[in-house]
Amino acid sequence: MKATTSTTGSFSKLYCTVFGHQYNVTKKVTKHVKEYTCKCCKKQLTTNSNGCLTELTPTFREINSLLERVHSKRMMRLNQKIAS
Ligand SMILES: [Zn+2]
């Protein structure tokens, strides 16, 4: 048995319009850059270079994955330095 969820989307949007989005951090890209998803309507936001929240567009997703790679590489090098 599958529950129908076709009405949930529009209801969530209405909820968000009235009460505001319920953002959860879904990904930590760097110390300062995070990705957020609204648990109601699944709208995604990210922190841009100015430190402001902006909609997570494909361009920002690309920038974030690049940032993440650079950041994790740097952290790895830092950890190695501490270990040795
Ligand atoms: Zn929302």
Side-chain angles (χ1 to χ4, degrees):
M1 280 294 273
K2 254 186 180 175
T4 169
T5 50
S6 56
T7 52
T8 319
S10 53
F11 174 76
S12 297
K13 263 188 195 146
L14 188 71
Y15 182 93
C16 289
T17 311
V18 177
F19 298 103
H21 296 286
Q22 308 276 312
Y23 288 117
N24 277 334
V25 177
T26 43
K27 195 175 180 184
K28 264 190 179 175
V29 182
T30 69
K31 212 172 166 186
H32 305 289
V33 179
K34 294 181 188 83
E35 286 177 11
Y36 305 86
T37 306
C38 175
K39 66 178 179 186
C40 291
C41 66
K42 308 295 176 207
K43 185 184 163 80
Q44 291 185 298
L45 287 188
T46 186
T47 325
N48 66 14
S49 49
N50 299 322
C52 302
L53 288 178
T54 183
E55 204 169 322
L56 185 64
T57 58
T59 313
F60 272 111
R61 211 184 287 261
E62 221 165 279
I63 293 170
N64 282 356
S65 73
L66 195 74
L67 266 177
E68 195 184 18
R69 245 179 304 169
V70 172
H71 185 72
S72 67
K73 216 182 269 180
R74 199 182 299 161
M75 291 310 277
M76 217 150 58
R77 221 178 313 159
L78 206 70
N79 284 340
Q80 277 171 353
K81 220 180 239 175
I82 292 165
S84 62

